[in-house]
Structure formats: structure tokens, C-alpha cells
Amino acid sequence: MEGTGPSSIPLGDLLNSRRRRTYVGREGERELVRARLESADPQWSVLYLHGPGGIGKTALLDMLAEIAEDLGATVVRLDGRDLSPSPSAVLAALSDAVEVPDTGAITSAQEQLCVLVDSYEVLGPIDEWMRTRLLPRLPATALTVIAARTPPSPQWRADAAWSELLRVVSLRNLTPTECREFLRAVAVPTQLHERICQVTHGHPLALSLLADVASRGGEVAADPLTPDLIGVLMQRFIEVVPSPVHRRALEVCALARVTTESLLRDVLELDDAHQVFAWLRQLSFVEAGPEGLFPHDLARDVVDADLRWRDLDSYTEVFHRVWRHLRRRLTSRSGREQQRVIFDLKFVFRNLPGVLSPVDWESWGHHYPEPARAEDRDTIVELVRSHEGAESAEIAAAWFRRQPEGFYIVRRPDGTIAADPGAAAAWDFARTQSPPREGETITQTRFVIDATAYQDPSPTLNAIPIMTMQRYLCTPRLSWDFLTLAEPDRWNEYFAVADLPRAGGADFEVGARRYGLFSHDFRRVPVDAWFEQVADRALSENPAAPKRPAPQLLVLSQPEFEQAVRQALHDWRRPDLLRRNPLMRTRVVCDRGGAEPDVAELDTVLRDAVDALADDPRDDKMVRAVDRTYLRPAATQEAAARILGLPFSTYRRHLTQGVAQIVSWLWDREIYGRQE
């Protein structure tokens, strides 16, 4: 039959098949979802999965989607990375698969509906709306699975109704058995399995990275307690990429927000970029989204920082090629699509030392400015009044009457927002420096106000360069542009790099607050030349060696956690050995001692566990067995039994029970935190 050969199968299907074949672990979570979808009388509605970056949340959602589809459910995938955290964006995404009326119940063609939400932490601004407004509109039989880096907000548990309908699972590292199963599935030589398990502690991203390295003949040795394990393993991976072209493609993928074949073809100067794009797509740390490929953020930062420090000339070349590709796309886009390209354009600047960026990168790319409507007038004026006083509010109202189309807003999830000395100062400065000629335009961003942060990093401040760049591109015969900011001294350095220097002598006051103007004359340096100049200045700083990252918590699987506790008890009298114990980087110790705890913190945690055992008089026999084995150890366990006056078998039973209780007490605090 024609069309059934391997060459006719889409690469995405092949990759999905391979990922299914190599997926291991999470049997409990998969079975939980399967049983819930098969239940005729479901007892709960939301499964909330949480865990740190690289723990495998997205991969698990992929598996859960397949389970739901196999059971005939309508599956809706939402990803916080692709959505503005606003009700309208979420409802629009839902409406692609289900019926979403303006009000009332959301319905699905199939009887069963499964909604999977990834990167939920990005949707944090609308968490309350999701919990109280959206989810109650879903069918009672619907299942929602949420995956986030952070646990659910306290409001989820505070609501008695939700407490019955919610299941929360903290995703842990894979067990040693699961690690070995994965390594067999991806054909890593057996003799390397034990070392890889030790190095990665079962962290899924680290495990798959090191498997990639091993399959290419790279070095797998590393310190199991390396604070930046992902960084070390990415360095190993970079050393074994197939060719310089593949390495450069990886660097492009790290720098750009999303990578497409078009971008690779342009930046790498290839006639056909399909092969290298396909290579990127099959990497364990690269994901495919609606707009293109993007690496896991932990891997992205390592590749970007390494190239910038190791070879600034190459980094500069890649930067300019990516930047110019995006710049060319700007001229062929308009409206929201053009805004997205501007977001992409600024994204490449995010890690440059020459940019003192006042950007809230957590919300970058998720909020867009839009023209204000007539009904927004009172809210805008009130925002100005609350942050800048009555006089500024009167000025804003006057400008709204005269030029309502000049106001833009960044809407909050609930759909709301928040004679002029400033305009006079801008006009006087332009007139005295280089007056506009007939037909030329002066523009000014007069009010910058976020309802919560005012002029600190926020979604509103993120939107300012998007709005102004669009204005630069679309304003015929633009001469001067001015940006108005309060407390102007703190902005001098940043806007000097951006070639929007402080307009000397143009500060002004309204009420009790002082403002400054930052200006650029686009007749002197036109838009394209300005773009190039900003890029050159941002790259001009000599990059330092990548900083040593803060230690990342280990999220050990339960078997590895238990093994680490038993080893710590065994080594209790040896601080040099305790220092190497994996517990030193777990939550149960770091919650007490900070990011880099001392051995004394581990000692305290162990003593707390024994003290908790001693609180119950019924456990006295266990406490005495633990005491004589670990705290005040006898020479041998036989000697400990004699000191306690117990048969050896009885002593061993008490010791085993006591250690099990200690492990359980510590595991509870590892999962749920300290109980104050």
C-alpha cells in the first residue's frame, strides 16, 4: 500500500512513538487518572501535580492525554507558556475544542472531558478565576489535571468543597529501578547504569541528558551532589554534538524564544534546514510548541551563558543573525502578530550584561497593550490619581478628552485597568535642541502606571517597549520620542544603553512628585540604525564567567530518600560523610538551614526525628534501640543488645521499627514542609 513506508510517517509521530516506548515511572499517577476516567461515580475533579523544573511534568501530561484519548474522552491541552494569563485567552483556547458560551456550563461533544493545564505557575494571576469561575463551569464529570512548579495556593485547601474534589501530588525523582528501566529502553550500556543513577538521583531531565551524552560516547562521570547538575551535563552534551552546524543550531535555539526552520535556514545560511531542525526536535530537553521549538529553560540558560563567556565573537554573530531575522519579520507583520515579534526581539536581550533590564521576565510575552476604550476613561484617571495625585489626574483627563486614541492599557484578569507640564517640557526640549520640521511628529509616553507596581517591573512596564516600538515603526516622519518616568535618576543608566538618554534640564514637577524625560531623535539615528546601536551596546560589556548557581533542591524518590536517611544514621558520628549525604540538598534540611546548610543542620534534623519518636511513651523501646545504635553507639549491634538487656532478635525488631518511624517522620516533612 502506498504511503505507509517510514518516509511517509511524520517526524512528530515517530518522536511520540519513541517517547511512549521509553517513558517509565509515574504508574501511580497514571493509574489514578485511568481509574478516575473509568469511574461511573467520580469522587474528585482536579489532580494538581507539582514539582521543580525538569521533573517531568510535561511528559506525564503527554501520557495522561493518551490515556484519556484511549478512553474516548475529549482532551483539551492548555499551556501557560502559550497563553496570556487572562480569562479571555483561556476561554478562547478552550473554545477550540469545546462549546464555551458567554455564560453558563461549558459542554463537550463527548460524555467525558479531560482538561490538561501545563506551566500553571504562569497563570498565577488568574488562579482565583480558574478556581472559582472557570472550573465550576465544566461538567461535573470533567477531569482537570494541573501541572505547576509550585504547590496549589492555600485558597484551594481553605475551600472545604474543593478539599474533597482536589488531589495533590508532589512529583519526585524516579526510583533507581525506574532509572535502570529507562536506561535499558534507550539502549545505554548496562555497565553505565549504576553510575548514571548515582549521578542523577533519578532527576528525569538530568537522566535523559546523561543518557544522550552516553549514547554519543561522552563522559558520564560527575559529582552526584553537584549544585548545577543540569549545567554540567549540558556542557558534556555540547562536547558531543554531531557537527559545528548542529552546535550552532543549539545556540540559536537557546537564544531565540522559539526556533523554526525558517529561522535556522536564515541564521545558519542553509538551503534546507529540515535535517538540523529535526535533530533539535528529537533532543530530550527540547519541546515542540505551536510556534516552534524551545529548550527547557534550565538547558537554555546554560547554553546561552556558556557561549557568551567562551566565545563572545561567535555569540555576537549568532545574536545579530537572530535579531536581524526578527527585525525583517517586523515589517511584514501588524497588530498583535507584530507585538509578538517585538516580544521575541526583546527576548534575545534578556541575559546580556549590558542591559540593566527592568523587565519582569516571569510574565514576559503574556500581556499585550491594547487601545483604551471610552469606558476605561474613569479607571485610567483614577489610577493616575491614586499613584500621582489629583493634579496629574486632571492632566490625564484632559488628554483623554483631546486624544483618547493615545491611551493604551494592559488589562488585568477581571477586565479592568488601572495646560500639562510634561508635554510642555517635552516640547520645549525638542524646540531648543532640534525643532521638528513641518509635517514631522513628536510622540510622548506620558503616563506609565501599573495598578500594583506603579513603575516597577510588571506586566505593564513590559508592554511599554512593545507599544513604543510599534509606534516607531508605524509613525510617518517621526522626529522626537519622549518617555516620562517618575524618580528619573534610577533610570539613567538603563536608558543610556537604550539610546534614550535623559533630556537634560527637562525635569518637571506635578504636585509633590518629580518626573524626568528620556528622549531620542529618530532623524539623527533612524529606527533601523537605532536597533543596531542598542544591540551593539548591549553586547559591548565583557561577560564574566557564568556564576555558580544556587544549589537546587534534590527531590529524591521515596526509596532513595529512605536510603539516604539510613545512611545518615549510620554516618551520624562522621561529619565528613554526612556532608556527602544527599539529604544535605533536600527540603527537610534546607528548610532549616537555607540554600547551603551546614552538617549541623542535618544533625539537628535527625535529632528532631528521634525526639519526635521519644514523644510517645509507647515508642520507648524503639528510642533506646536507636540511641544505642546511632547516638551513643555500642561497639557492635550485639553489644547494643546486651547493654539494653534484650535478645538480639528483639533488639533488631525495635531498631527496625524505630528507623522506619524516623524515615516516615522525615519523609512527611520533606513532602509537606516543617510543621510549626
Side-chain angles (χ1 to χ4, degrees):
M1 181 181 294
E2 293 184 4
T4 59
S7 61
S8 67
I9 301 175
L11 175 62
D13 291 349
L14 289 175
L15 291 172
N16 290 336
S17 175
R18 179 182 184 274
R19 285 168 179 149
R20 283 194 298 273
R21 177 173 54 82
T22 59
Y23 191 84
V24 302
R26 315 301 187 203
E27 283 89 355
E29 291 80 6
R30 287 190 276 176
E31 184 53 38
L32 182 65
V33 167
R34 183 184 300 279
R36 165 58 177 77
L37 290 172
E38 291 178 335
S39 173
D41 182 24
Q43 301 298 307
W44 53 276
S45 300
V46 175
L47 174 61
Y48 195 113
L49 308 168
H50 66 93
I55 203 67
K57 297 182 291 294
T58 299
L60 176 56
L61 288 184
D62 291 340
M63 296 300 107
L64 299 183
E66 289 197 5
I67 291 172
E69 288 168 353
D70 289 344
L71 293 173
T74 296
V75 177
V76 182
R77 298 289 297 264
L78 304 177
D79 194 325
R81 293 167 296 192
D82 302 326
L83 295 171
S84 166
S86 66
S88 59
V90 173
L91 292 172
L94 275 173
S95 66
D96 290 339
V98 295
E99 291 294 327
V100 183
D102 291 339
T103 59
I106 294 172
T107 59
S108 169
Q110 271 77 20
E111 182 177 347
Q112 185 66 272
L113 174 64
C114 181
V115 180
L116 306 175
V117 187
D118 202 357
S119 302
Y120 185 74
E121 67 278 359
V122 181
L123 301 177
I126 58 171
D127 175 67
E128 182 179 1
W129 176 82
M130 293 280 288
R131 176 173 49 82
T132 63
R133 304 284 295 279
L134 176 66
L135 295 182
R137 294 179 62 188
L138 298 179
T141 58
L143 169 64
T144 301
V145 182
I146 293 172
R149 292 193 175 189
T150 54
S153 63
Q155 288 76 13
W156 284 90
R157 294 183 181 277
D159 187 324
W162 269 120
S163 66
E164 297 178 4
L165 299 175
L166 177 70
R167 298 290 184 271
V168 180
V169 174
S170 171
L171 293 181
R172 313 295 299 177
N173 286 355
L174 300 177
T175 68
T177 299
E178 292 165 343
C179 291
R180 287 187 282 270
E181 183 183 347
F182 170 79
L183 295 173
R184 284 193 297 270
V186 296
V188 171
T190 305
Q191 64 268 25
L192 299 177
H193 289 191
E194 200 58 39
R195 182 56 182 163
I196 292 176
C197 291
Q198 291 175 353
V199 167
T200 63
H201 289 292
H203 184 277
L205 178 59
L207 185 67
S208 57
L209 254 177
L210 201 47
D212 282 346
V213 172
S215 68
R216 291 169 169 80
E219 175 62 51
V220 300
D223 184 341
L225 293 182
T226 300
D228 181 29
L229 183 60
I230 298 299
V232 171
L233 298 184
M234 280 302 306
Q235 299 282 2
R236 302 277 170 80
F237 179 85
I238 291 170
E239 292 170 1
V240 294
V241 294
S243 73
V245 172
H246 290 80
R247 176 181 296 207
R248 184 53 49 88
L250 183 60
E251 293 162 352
V252 171
C253 191
L255 190 63
R257 187 184 64 85
V258 290
T259 297
T260 62
E261 282 195 37
S262 172
L263 174 64
L264 290 176
R265 191 167 54 245
D266 193 2
V267 174
L268 302 180
E269 298 183 312
L270 299 173
D271 293 331
D272 184 358
H274 180 73
Q275 186 178 32
V276 70
F277 182 84
W279 174 80
L280 281 174
R281 190 176 182 182
Q282 58 85 34
L283 296 179
S284 59
F285 54 88
V286 173
E287 298 180 40
E291 299 175 82
L293 304 180
F294 55 95
H296 193 284
D297 52 5
L298 300 178
R300 182 197 290 278
D301 289 343
V302 172
V303 176
D304 184 277
D306 174 73
L307 177 62
R308 191 172 68 250
W309 167 69
R310 175 173 47 80
D311 188 349
L312 184 59
D313 289 341
S314 291
Y315 185 88
T316 301
E317 181 181 357
V318 173
F319 181 96
H320 276 293
R321 287 181 177 273
V322 171
W323 182 89
R324 286 169 184 157
H325 171 85
L326 295 171
R327 174 65 186 93
R328 285 190 290 272
R329 289 186 63 211
L330 275 177
T331 58
S332 62
R333 301 293 191 275
S334 62
R336 181 59 59 85
E337 288 187 18
Q338 188 179 61
Q339 290 180 348
R340 172 61 72 181
V341 178
I342 295 172
F343 273 118
D344 289 352
L345 193 63
K346 180 142 186 171
F347 185 86
V348 301
F349 285 83
R350 72 196 182 286
N351 288 328
L352 295 186
V355 178
L356 305 174
S357 181
V359 170
D360 174 18
W361 288 112
E362 290 297 318
S363 62
W364 183 253
H366 297 291
H367 300 78
Y368 293 90
E370 59 183 76
R373 300 190 291 257
E375 59 265 31
D376 297 321
R377 182 259 183 204
D378 291 346
T379 305
I380 291 172
V381 172
E382 185 54 39
L383 270 178
V384 176
R385 186 189 315 280
S386 64
H387 287 278
E388 297 189 356
E391 292 179 64
S392 282
E394 291 177 8
I395 294 169
W399 277 114
F400 201 95
R401 288 193 299 271
R402 181 180 180 87
Q403 197 180 84
E405 71 278 6
F407 284 80
Y408 287 78
I409 58 174
V410 177
R411 294 190 181 276
R412 285 173 47 182
D414 61 4
T416 65
I417 53 160
D420 178 8
W427 173 254
D428 289 344
F429 181 85
R431 183 172 51 81
T432 57
Q433 297 295 315
S434 179
R437 295 165 295 204
E438 185 176 353
E440 291 182 338
T441 301
I442 295 177
T443 58
Q444 181 178 14
T445 302
R446 178 60 181 87
F447 297 99
V448 178
I449 298 175
D450 182 87
T452 302
Y454 185 43
Q455 292 179 353
D456 285 333
S458 65
T460 301
L461 202 64
N462 288 353
I464 297 304
I466 310 307
M467 183 185 69
T468 55
M469 285 186 194
Q470 279 193 297
R471 190 168 68 221
Y472 300 161
L473 293 166
C474 301
T475 303
R477 302 194 67 185
L478 176 62
S479 59
W480 287 95
D481 178 72
F482 292 92
L483 173 63
T484 311
L485 292 169
E487 302 175 32
D489 291 346
R490 67 175 177 142
W491 300 106
N492 287 342
E493 191 172 358
Y494 172 73
F495 284 109
V497 172
D499 199 27
L500 287 160
R502 181 90 162 267
D507 287 7
F508 65 95
E509 293 183 357
V510 176
R513 193 186 292 270
R514 185 168 65 96
Y515 303 87
L517 300 178
F518 297 86
S519 63
H520 182 87
D521 185 347
F522 283 97
R523 298 164 301 177
R524 179 179 57 85
V525 181
V527 172
D528 280 325
W530 175 76
F531 276 140
E532 293 280 355
Q533 188 177 86
V534 170
D536 287 340
R537 289 185 180 182
L539 287 161
S540 65
E541 296 279 339
N542 292 324
K547 295 180 181 178
R548 180 177 181 269
Q552 299 295 309
L553 290 181
L554 283 177
V555 286
L556 298 173
S557 64
Q558 191 163 5
E560 280 206 313
F561 184 87
E562 179 175 348
Q563 180 182 355
V565 173
R566 293 179 182 277
Q567 190 63 48
L569 292 171
H570 181 271
D571 298 335
W572 203 335
R573 313 289 291 182
R574 292 284 305 276
D576 57 322
L577 297 180
L578 283 183
R579 192 169 290 110
R580 303 291 305 161
N581 191 287
L583 291 178
M584 289 293 294
R585 282 184 43 213
T586 58
R587 179 185 185 185
V588 71
V589 174
C590 292
D591 270 2
R592 179 180 292 276
E596 298 190 53
D598 187 79
V599 169
E601 303 297 341
L602 176 53
D603 177 87
T604 299
V605 167
L606 293 174
R607 291 183 184 277
D608 286 348
V610 175
D611 290 344
L613 191 65
D615 287 343
D616 190 336
R618 295 171 297 180
D619 296 335
D620 181 62
K621 295 177 181 179
M622 300 180 207
V623 173
R624 292 194 294 125
V626 169
D627 175 57
R628 276 304 182 180
T629 307
Y630 301 120
L631 277 76
R632 296 181 297 157
T636 65
Q637 289 194 353
E638 288 79 2
R642 287 196 298 272
I643 292 172
L644 294 172
L646 296 172
F648 185 70
S649 60
T650 303
Y651 154 78
R652 285 289 300 169
R653 185 174 71 254
H654 293 168
L655 179 62
T656 299
Q657 293 171 342
V659 170
Q661 291 278 66
I662 289 171
V663 169
S664 176
W665 189 89
L666 290 171
W667 178 251
D668 187 67
R669 276 143 189 81
E670 170 71 6
I671 295 297
Y672 300 110
R674 294 175 63 185
Q675 308 298 311
E676 300 295 348

